[in-house]
C-alpha cells in the first residue's frame, strides 16, 4: 500500500516501466502553437519523452506535492541537475542526507490522503444506503443495489462474464466505462477486484445493478495508476449480458 512504500524506492519504478504512449486520438491538436517559442523546433519528440516520464512516475506523488509550490520547482531542479550532471554533490550523499526526511514528509502526507479518501468513501456509502432503500450492504461492507433483476444464470468466481460497466469515483469522476467506449467487455471474474467478484455473483444474466465498493475490496491503499486514488471507494453500474 501507499503508506508502507519507502518513497525513495519509487525511483525503481523506472526500471520496470515500458514506454506506454497511447496513439494520438483523432481530436489531437497540433502542439505547435502552445510550444512555439518554449521548445526549440524539432525537439517536440523529446518534450514528449518528458511528458511520458512524468506520466509514469508522477502519478504516485499526485496529491503529495503541490504543483504550484516551490517544492515542485525543487523536484524539477533535482531531476534536471541529475540529468545534466550538474549536481552540487554526489547523488548518494544527497539521498543519504535528505532521504530520511523526505520519506517522513511523503509518508505523513500519503497517510493523510488515504485517511481522507477512506472517510469520504464511508460517508458516500452511508449516503447511498440512505437514499436507496432497496440497497443491501453485504457482510464484507460493500453496497449492492439491483436495478433490473435478470432471469438468466448467476456467475461463480470461476465464470467468465460479458458486461457493460460505468465506473465512477465518489465525486462523480468517470475513471473507466465500457459504456462510453460503446463496447461490452468479457473477462474471468477471478481476475478482477473482490468487490466485483462478490457483486457479480449476486446478479443474473440480463440484470443490471449498482455496486459501491470500499477501497479494501477494490484497489486498496495503493490505488491504481493515475485514475484511482489511494483509499478510493468506487461506484459501478454493471449490466450482465452473459455468463460462461
Amino acid at each position: 500500500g501507499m503508506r508502507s512504500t519507502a518513497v525513495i524506492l519509487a525511483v525503481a519504478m523506472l526500471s520496470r516501466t515500458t514506454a506506454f504512449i497511447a496513439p494520438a486520438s483523432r481530436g489531437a491538436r497540433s502542439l505547435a502553437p502552445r510550444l512555439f517559442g518554449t521548445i526549440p523546433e524539432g525537439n517536440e519528440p523529446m518534450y514528449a519523452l518528458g511528458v511520458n516520464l512524468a506520466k509514469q512516475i508522477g502519478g504516485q506523488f499526485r496529491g503529495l506535492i503541490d504543483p504550484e509550490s516551490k517544492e515542485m520547482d525543487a523536484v524539477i531542479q533535482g531531476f534536471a541537475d541529475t540529468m545534466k550532471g550538474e549536481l552540487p554533490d554526489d547523488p548518494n550523499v544527497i539521498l543519504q542526507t535528505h532521504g530520511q526526511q523526505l520519506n517522513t514528509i511523503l509518508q505523513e502526507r500519503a497517510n493523510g490522503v488515504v485517511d481522507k479518501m477512506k472517510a469520504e468513501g464511508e460517508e458516500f456509502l452511508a449516503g447511498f444506503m440512505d437514499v436507496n432503500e432497496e440497497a443491501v450492504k453485504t457482510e464484507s461492507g460493500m453496497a449492492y443495489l439491483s436495478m433490473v433483476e435478470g432471469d438468466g444464470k448467476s456467475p461463480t468466481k470461476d465464470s467468465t462474464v460479458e458486461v457493460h460497466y460505468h465506473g465512477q469515483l465518489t465525486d462523480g469522476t468517470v475513471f473507466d466505462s465500457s459504456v462510453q467506449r460503446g463496447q461490452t467487455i468479457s473477462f474471468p471474474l477471478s481476475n478482477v477486484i473482490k468487490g466485483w467478484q462478490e457483486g457479480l455473483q449476486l446478479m443474473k444474466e440480463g440484470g443490471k445493478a449498482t455496486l459501491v465498493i470500499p477501497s479494501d475490496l477494490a484497489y486498496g491503499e495503493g490505488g491504481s495508476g493515475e485514475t484511482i486514488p489511494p483509499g478510493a471507494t468506487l461506484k459501478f453500474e454493471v449490466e450482465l449480458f452473459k455468463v460462461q
Side-chain angles (χ1 to χ4, degrees):
M2 190 164 178
R3 291 175 201 254
S4 55
T5 309
V7 185
I8 289 284
L9 298 177
V11 180
M13 287 270 299
L14 269 180
S15 62
R16 61 182 179 82
T17 48
T18 49
F20 174 71
I21 302 177
S25 68
R26 278 180 217 154
R29 289 165 301 139
S30 162
L31 291 176
R34 218 172 55 71
L35 288 181
F36 185 71
T38 55
I39 308 284
E41 204 174 330
N43 283 289
E44 291 85 356
M46 292 302 148
Y47 182 83
L49 172 61
V51 170
N52 200 35
L53 286 171
K55 269 175 72 72
Q56 286 178 9
I57 58 173
Q60 60 196 311
F61 302 112
R62 183 165 286 112
L64 303 186
I65 301 166
D66 178 359
E68 304 296 321
S69 67
K70 291 268 195 303
E71 285 184 341
M72 186 61 86
D73 295 344
V75 172
I76 292 164
Q77 186 72 51
F79 183 84
D81 288 353
T82 306
M83 292 296 283
K84 291 177 178 177
E86 293 175 358
L87 287 172
D89 208 334
D90 180 274
N92 293 329
V93 171
I94 294 173
L95 293 179
Q96 280 158 10
T97 309
H98 303 289
Q100 196 59 54
Q101 190 191 358
L102 170 64
N103 271 349
T104 303
I105 291 169
L106 293 181
Q107 205 66 68
E108 282 173 2
R109 293 183 188 179
N111 291 349
V113 169
V114 170
D115 292 340
K116 183 169 174 280
M117 287 304 295
K118 284 190 166 180
E120 283 175 10
E122 280 168 26
E123 209 173 293
F124 180 84
L125 200 143
F128 181 84
M129 293 297 298
D130 283 347
V131 175
N132 299 287
E133 285 173 14
E134 274 112 66
V136 180
K137 194 171 181 184
T138 70
E139 213 170 299
S140 67
M142 65 176 278
Y144 175 85
L145 173 66
S146 176
M147 293 148 77
V148 177
E149 274 299 331
D151 50 16
K153 57 182 175 180
S154 290
T156 68
K157 210 164 71 202
D158 303 315
S159 302
T160 292
V161 294
E162 184 188 345
V163 296
H164 249 325
Y165 66 90
H166 187 69
Q168 291 175 289
L169 302 178
T170 54
D171 66 1
T173 304
V174 177
F175 59 82
D176 192 9
S177 173
S178 69
V179 177
Q180 287 183 354
R181 288 193 295 274
Q183 206 168 14
T184 61
I185 183 166
S186 296
F187 44 72
L189 260 193
S190 56
N191 286 5
V192 292
I193 57 174
K194 284 182 188 156
W196 263 75
Q197 291 180 6
E198 185 181 352
L200 269 282
Q201 289 180 72
L202 299 172
M203 297 180 72
K204 294 188 176 89
E205 282 178 334
K208 192 172 182 182
T210 301
L211 316 177
V212 179
I213 305 176
S215 64
D216 56 350
L217 300 174
Y219 294 95
E221 295 184 356
S224 178
E226 291 191 355
T227 48
I228 296 173
T233 291
L234 309 179
K235 177 188 169 199
F236 287 96
E237 285 179 21
V238 184
E239 198 169 349
L240 177 57
F241 292 104
K242 199 163 179 211
V243 174
Q244 283 162 310

